[in-house]
Amino acid sequence: MIYADNAATTKMSEASLKTMIDLMEDTYGNPSSLYTFGQKAKEVLEKARADVAGAIGAQPQEILFTSGGSEADNQAIITAAKLGAAKGKKHIISTAFEHHAVLHTLNKLKKEGYEITLLDVHENGIVLPEQVEEAIREDTALVTVMYVNNEIGTIQPIREIGAVCRKHGVLFHTDAVQAVGHIRVNVEDDNIDMLSASGHKFHGPKGTGFLYAKKGIRLVNLIEGGAQEKGRRAGTENVPGIAAMATALTEAVANLDAYKAKLTPVRDKIIAGLNEIPHSAINGDEVRRVPGNVNFCFEGIEGESLLLLLDDKGIAASSGSACTSGSLDPSHVLLAIGRVHDVAHGSLRLSIGEDITDEDADYIIKSVKEVVEYLRGFSPVWRDLVAGKGQFIL
Ligand SMILES: *Cc1c(COP(=O)(O)O)cnc(C)c1O
């Protein structure tokens, strides 16, 4: 079995799992309790906060623990919207290829009277700082642009976009769920005001994540209750999960260079192999992408069938994002970079992890080639294209 869907979720690392289990067994006190049992849990929590902060160049007090990336995205955007509205600013800039945690939050705000500008994405899957600058207005409350796209893996020029926002005095949030633990991220160097991350995308547990908010930003509380997290998120803290996330992140960040050195050649080998398939194309810039992401379109086939047949061959991959699979709509990300519906339907995302071997890469290439050829064999769309009825796009 080859697991090539690490952008959907990752396996917990051994160290992370051990942290979690040990704490569940021994350190089950409530961090808000004053006796030693609780204070031990509190120490673990604050150590995790310092470790997470250190991993992204932040201060511990700038880290708020959440249930994951979605919650962090919601809280960051709603905070900026409320702060903006208080100053009469109700315009928000984002992009057409964000995760739904961002897009759906923006939709909700739109219904509440905010004006949302979604920037087009260049066909290479990169948003330009100039586009952001052109869209900024007097009443812009927030710019939110993802660090790495979850489907096509392209890395955005976040530092430059952040600099544009600083220049114009506009808050800047980035959904860095696919970046943190995969490439180097530093909130100071990258001019970031708010950042979302998720534990289960870097070999930590599901249901964990964090929001970085630069000192001075008063976060709007989404959950009422106790005074945990300085009153910014009520509810007894998930101490074992949070500490396990911190363990996974510390490990991932210490290992970033080796991760890149190991995965990049394997990724490029798979890209070269899949490029040999006629009427296929990579989605997103070939170079400016995270080490683990390969995303292709194959003309004349259905992504879902491709996935099921790859599953039969022992390969776990994805088409579009996990959230849209099961629906007949093609991926909004692929549409945003200009793929037409028919082509966008025939997409494949392989997100490889560090356990991948060279033989795995060979097997993936061979299997995808076989399955694409097999599916095209009885695809009416493909038959028409070959017969000259209609134009090949790729
Ligand atoms: C997975 C993901 C999320 C959601 O994170 P959860 O922890 O699953 O809520 C948000 N944004 C991006 C880019 C993601 O890949």
Side-chain angles (χ1 to χ4, degrees), residues 39-51:
Q39 288 311 298
K40 257 183 81 181
K42 175 90 180 155
E43 267 169 39
V44 170
L45 184 66
E46 294 316 318
K47 163 86 167 52
R49 201 183 309 277
D51 289 347

Side-chain angles (χ1 to χ4, degrees), residues 7-8 67-71 73 98-102 146 148-150 175-178 196-201 206-209 349:
S67 66
S70 301
E71 184 185 330
D73 282 341
E98 297 296 312
H99 190 272
H100 284 133
V102 168
M146 70 200 316
V148 168
N149 183 271
N150 49 307
D175 173 341
V177 170
Q178 296 285 344
S196 310
S198 169
H200 76 101
K201 301 289 175 73
K206 290 167 187 59
T208 65
R349 177 185 73 187

Side-chain angles (χ1 to χ4, degrees), residues 374-385:
Y374 171 76
L375 287 171
R376 282 176 173 171
F378 53 83
S379 153
V381 178
W382 182 255
R383 198 177 50 225
D384 284 353
L385 286 170

Side-chain angles (χ1 to χ4, degrees), residues 3-9 150 178 292-294 316-318 349-353:
Y3 183 71
D5 204 12
N6 285 278
T9 197
N150 49 307
Q178 296 285 344
N293 179 289
V294 176
S318 126
R349 177 185 73 187
L350 297 156
S351 41
I352 54 176

Side-chain angles (χ1 to χ4, degrees), residues 30 41 54 109 155 187 196 198 226 233 243 252 304 340 359:
N30 186 324
L109 289 170
I155 303 169
V187 290
S196 310
S198 169
R233 184 180 192 269
E304 313 272 286
V340 299
E359 294 76 61

